[in-house]
Amino acid sequence: MDKKNVLESIKNGLIVSCQARRGWPMYGAEIMGALSKAAEKGGAVGIRATGPENIKAIKKVTKLPVLGIHKQWTEECEVYITPTYESAISIIEAGASIVALDGTQRKRPHGNEIREGG
């Protein structure tokens, strides 16, 4: 689905967040896949998910667009939502339709930075 069609398909609809942290009872790619399928059956137009393994599992069971993030906590910076170029690429390769990231100017890992226009 191209960018225009993805945006049109989620317009005015419910996007359901299907994510759990390591150690939480609902953690795991298979569970995230099941949650996303339930969300789809309940009328969701898109899924928000974190991590390549979860996005891959979700894409196996639903055709809904996935708004992908890659949460990565480190001691060296405050930014943890898709903080690096590599983290964005990993969720694109996993099948995310849209990449969400922290667009602030806060310190990022490895000296990465977001620059206007590129």
Side-chain angles (χ1 to χ4, degrees):
M1 191 179 304
D2 67 22
K3 180 171 59 172
K4 184 177 179 180
N5 289 335
V6 168
L7 294 175
E8 192 60 37
S9 74
I10 62 174
K11 185 177 181 179
N12 299 320
L14 175 67
I15 298 170
V16 175
S17 183
C18 295
Q19 51 185 312
R21 289 185 186 172
R22 195 175 306 273
W24 288 5
M26 298 293 285
Y27 178 78
E30 187 175 315
I31 295 169
M32 294 306 107
L35 286 173
S36 68
K37 190 64 180 173
E40 180 181 43
K41 287 185 176 193
V45 299
I47 304 295
R48 179 179 185 260
T50 184
E53 59 285 335
N54 293 325
I55 293 169
K56 286 178 188 175
I58 289 166
K59 294 302 285 183
K60 285 181 183 177
V61 298
T62 181
K63 299 293 184 200
L64 292 177
V66 174
L67 287 75
I69 62 177
H70 196 166
K71 291 182 179 177
Q72 297 177 308
W73 287 271
T74 66
E75 293 293 323
E76 69 178 278
C77 69
E78 298 173 1
V79 175
Y80 65 92
I81 296 179
T82 321
T84 64
Y85 175 81
E86 293 78 17
S87 61
I89 293 299
S90 72
I91 59 175
I92 291 168
E93 290 175 346
S97 307
I98 297 173
V99 175
L101 52 93
D102 181 324
T104 67
Q105 294 298 317
R106 295 182 295 170
K107 184 178 174 189
R108 296 174 180 283
H110 319 297
N112 284 203
E113 55 185 44
I114 292 189
R115 295 182 306 244
E116 188 176 328

